[in-house]
Amino acid sequence: MEEKLKKIQQDYINKISSSKSLKDLDIIFIELFGKNGEVDQLSRQFKDLAKEDLKIVGSLFNLIKQELEKTISTKREEIKARVYKGLEDETFTFQHQVLEAKKRKGHLHPVTQFENEIVKLFNKLGFVQADAPQIDTDFNNFEVLNIPAEHPARDMWDTFYIDKSSNTQTTNHKLLLRTHTSNSQIRILKNNKPPIRMMTLGRCFRYENVDARHEHTFEQFEIVYVDKGVSMANLQFLSEYFFKSILGKDIKARLRPKYYPFVEPGVGIDATCVFCKGSGCKICGNIGWLELAGAGMIHPKVLEAGGINPKEYSGIAWGVGPERMAMLKYGIEDLRLLKSGDLNFLEKF
Ligand code: FA5
């Protein structure tokens, strides 16, 4: 009986130490201590033993039983610790995989892609980027551009004003969300000497009746070109260069008189309608042309405000809506889709 006990002890110590999972240990525990298990069967044989033998075997039996129970419980803790650490590793791997998947699928917003294309195009002609703030003074956005308070042109560019109590800047001028990138003009003129070839890109805001072609928050791209002898011919050339490069070689530019207080003369610039190629359709209102930009010769008063002598230099300024152009380039029927955050739409680009 003693030998049998010692064999069981040795066999099960080996089995326990080589087990790999909590499930393995559960099986071993049942084999040993379950109903009809090794311990149960041995104890049933005790009744056949002599009293002296029972004393020896009984205490050995208890010792071995306790040892096996303890070995199982130690092994159980060891396996648990390993599993938890493995789980941490697995969670890390999972998070890593999610990040990798995101990296693979992400791409630039279609308007950003389009704007990068425009910037590259004008870089080629020597234009460099200038910056202007989205929150600006009434002075930079309107007054210096020949649009004093109460000027009727302000009605076209109503915007959102910043509450005076939250104005932490040291200016007495009203602060507002800029209505156009033309707020860059005075900064460009003041900070640079002719010849000047600069461009500004960014977000603008208007108190707008939102519809398929108008957003309250939208992008503009603007160029300022000042040198001796700059004329409307340069404007015509740059407009056509721009439209042909972006929308196709068969697209022409047309200048139409339009009033902007900060240019003289001022023009609206139309491109041949990309949908009907000029023959007239529903989208262009049967005109064959679509207005894409506003532009003109920089007003002498604005040049002077920027410290440039209008008798020596002349300049053109030109502002376009990249989202309106993207609508034409990609055949998007509603401008609002671009800022909708709708992935079904955005993933098409
Ligand atoms: C201006 O904003 C002038 N600052 C342009 C300019 C620059 C004139 C330099 C002279 C010299 P206008 O309001 O027309 O002009 O806007 C210019 C372009 O911005 C429009 O042709 C259109 O493409 C885009 N745009 C204007 N309002 C919106 C709007 N609410 N949503 C989307 N795009 C708009």
Side-chain angles (χ1 to χ4, degrees):
M1 180 67 108
E2 275 182 66
E3 269 173 29
K4 216 173 178 182
L5 267 173
K6 283 186 178 150
K7 183 157 187 331
I8 289 175
Q9 179 192 29
Q10 199 48 59
D11 285 355
Y12 275 91
I13 296 277
N14 290 342
K15 261 190 168 184
I16 294 166
S17 68
S18 62
S19 59
K20 299 234 169 340
S21 67
L22 294 175
K23 197 168 176 197
D24 289 349
L25 286 179
D26 287 344
I27 292 167
I28 292 170
F29 187 87
I30 289 167
E31 276 175 21
L32 274 171
F33 304 108
K35 206 176 168 203
N36 294 324
E38 299 280 4
V39 170
D40 190 38
Q41 283 182 26
L42 271 176
S43 60
R44 268 191 235 152
Q45 293 170 24
F46 288 172
K47 63 177 180 351
D48 304 327
L49 292 175
K51 250 193 183 171
E52 286 76 45
D53 290 342
L54 184 61
K55 256 191 183 171
I56 302 164
V57 171
S59 64
L60 183 64
F61 173 85
N62 283 333
L63 273 178
I64 291 175
K65 193 175 161 231
Q66 278 168 16
E67 190 196 351
L68 287 172
E69 276 173 347
K70 192 160 181 244
T71 314
I72 287 178
S73 109
T74 309
K75 186 71 182 178
R76 198 180 286 282
E77 291 311 312
E78 189 192 306
I79 291 177
K80 269 194 203 162
R82 222 177 43 227
V83 169
Y84 287 140
K85 176 152 192 334
L87 271 184
E88 275 168 26
D89 291 348
E90 275 171 31
T91 310
F92 172 77
T93 313
F94 176 69
Q95 283 170 348
H96 188 67
Q97 281 168 350
V98 169
L99 284 176
E100 283 297 310
K102 277 190 181 158
K103 248 195 245 165
R104 274 201 310 276
K105 284 191 178 154
H107 64 75
L108 291 175
H109 190 280
V111 174
T112 310
Q113 292 178 36
F114 187 57
E115 288 177 345
N116 288 347
E117 208 180 321
I118 299 177
V119 167
K120 249 194 219 160
L121 208 64
F122 280 88
N123 259 330
K124 277 194 210 159
L125 297 182
F127 284 80
V128 289
Q129 265 182 286
D131 216 2
Q134 292 176 12
I135 296 178
D136 205 354
T137 58
D138 178 284
F139 179 79
N140 290 327
N141 192 81
F142 289 129
E143 274 184 46
V144 79
L145 293 174
N146 226 4
I147 315 172
E150 315 305 333
H151 192 292
R154 285 206 182 200
D155 289 348
M156 296 192 295
W157 292 304
D158 200 5
T159 184
F160 302 92
Y161 289 84
I162 310 287
D163 185 6
K164 264 200 182 136
S165 58
S166 59
N167 178 1
T168 52
Q169 303 210 359
T170 49
T171 173
N172 289 326
H173 289 285
K174 262 203 271 186
L175 286 179
L176 46 76
L177 298 188
R178 70 169 174 192
T179 59
H180 49 186
T181 41
S182 299
N183 71 332
S184 64
Q185 286 186 21
I186 191 62
R187 295 176 165 89
I188 289 174
L189 298 175
K190 272 188 176 164
N191 297 332
N192 298 280
K193 286 199 165 66
I196 299 170
R197 283 183 208 187
M198 301 202 88
M199 55 183 160
T200 317
L201 182 70
R203 197 157 273 200
C204 302
F205 312 84
R206 288 185 195 178
Y207 180 62
E208 194 75 87
N209 231 346
V210 171
D211 62 24
R213 283 173 63 78
H214 295 86
E215 266 283 18
H216 51 72
T217 302
F218 59 97
E219 300 282 307
Q220 274 196 350
F221 173 76
E222 180 134 350
I223 60 166
V224 171
Y225 175 27
V226 181
D227 204 349
K228 287 182 177 158
V230 170
S231 74
M232 292 297 276
N234 298 95
L235 193 57
Q236 170 75 33
F237 171 80
L238 282 174
S239 304
E240 212 151 277
Y241 164 77
F242 181 45
F243 295 161
K244 280 186 192 298
S245 311
I246 300 280
L247 300 174
K249 291 212 176 342
D250 48 348
I251 303 295
K252 289 193 171 128
R254 172 177 90 164
L255 307 188
R256 221 171 3 86
K258 189 169 178 187
Y259 177 61
Y260 292 103
F262 40 98
V263 285
E264 181 56 39
V267 287
I269 306 179
D270 300 342
T272 320
C273 174
V274 285
F275 298 100
C276 63
K277 303 289 180 215
S279 60
C281 66
K282 209 170 67 186
I283 295 167
C284 61
N286 280 322
I287 304 168
W289 298 90
L290 288 164
E291 181 176 327
L292 293 182
M297 302 292 303
I298 300 176
H299 198 288
K301 277 193 178 175
V302 179
L303 284 176
E304 265 170 4
I308 292 173
N309 182 357
K311 294 205 172 96
E312 197 180 350
Y313 293 100
S314 56
I316 52 177
W318 181 92
V320 65
E323 284 143 336
R324 288 261 182 94
M325 278 197 80
M327 281 176 86
L328 297 184
K329 186 172 165 81
Y330 302 124
I332 300 165
E333 285 179 4
D334 193 324
L335 185 98
R336 289 167 290 191
L337 278 168
L338 290 166
K339 291 213 173 63
S340 64
D342 180 349
L343 286 180
N344 284 333
F345 169 76
L346 292 174
E347 278 170 0
K348 292 199 170 74
F349 297 91

